[in-house]
């Protein structure tokens, strides 16, 4: 599983020189790709990436926008984190 960082959504509008279409770069090398922009979705996306990588037998990639990395999950949203998964 590859964990890849991307710019915050608010920064993308500035089209900085380091901005790239990360999904287009990653997709050909991955059996599964997902971009996460909300902190509430970050843990579930990571668990799904592991599940997809194991079940498909290849590289899975999760692209986390900076917003998802630095934003705290609101109180009461603890259930947004995935439960322990079992893989065959």
């Amino acid at each position: 599983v590859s964990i890849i960082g991307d710019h915050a959504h608010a920064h993308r509008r500035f089209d900085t020189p380091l901005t790239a279409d990360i999904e287009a770069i990653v997709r050909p090398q991955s059996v599964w790709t997902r971009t996460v922009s909300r902190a509430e979705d970050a843990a579930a996306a990571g668990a799904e990436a592991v599940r997809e990588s194991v079940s498909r037998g290849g590289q899975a990639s999760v692209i986390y926008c900076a917003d998802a990395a630095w934003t705290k999950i609101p109180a009461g949203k603890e259930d947004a984190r995935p439960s322990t998964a079992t893989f065959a």
Side-chain angles (χ1 to χ4, degrees):
V1 173
S2 291
I3 306 296
I4 303 160
D6 196 4
H7 293 286
H9 283 292
H11 297 174
R12 289 182 182 179
R13 65 185 168 144
F14 299 115
D15 195 27
T16 63
L18 296 177
T19 300
D21 186 352
I22 295 176
E23 280 194 31
I25 296 167
V26 171
R27 197 168 299 281
Q29 286 79 33
S30 302
V31 296
W32 181 90
T33 303
R34 180 170 177 195
T35 298
V36 177
S37 57
R38 296 176 351 120
E40 295 87 351
D41 301 329
E48 189 176 358
V50 171
R51 196 169 32 256
E52 292 296 327
S53 178
V54 170
S55 69
R56 295 185 188 195
Q59 180 70 34
S61 299
V62 185
I63 303 164
Y64 288 100
C65 296
D67 312 64
W70 67 42
T71 304
K72 290 187 178 188
I73 297 175
K77 294 287 187 178
E78 290 82 13
D79 59 346
R81 297 176 185 182
S83 60
T84 304
T86 303
F87 301 102

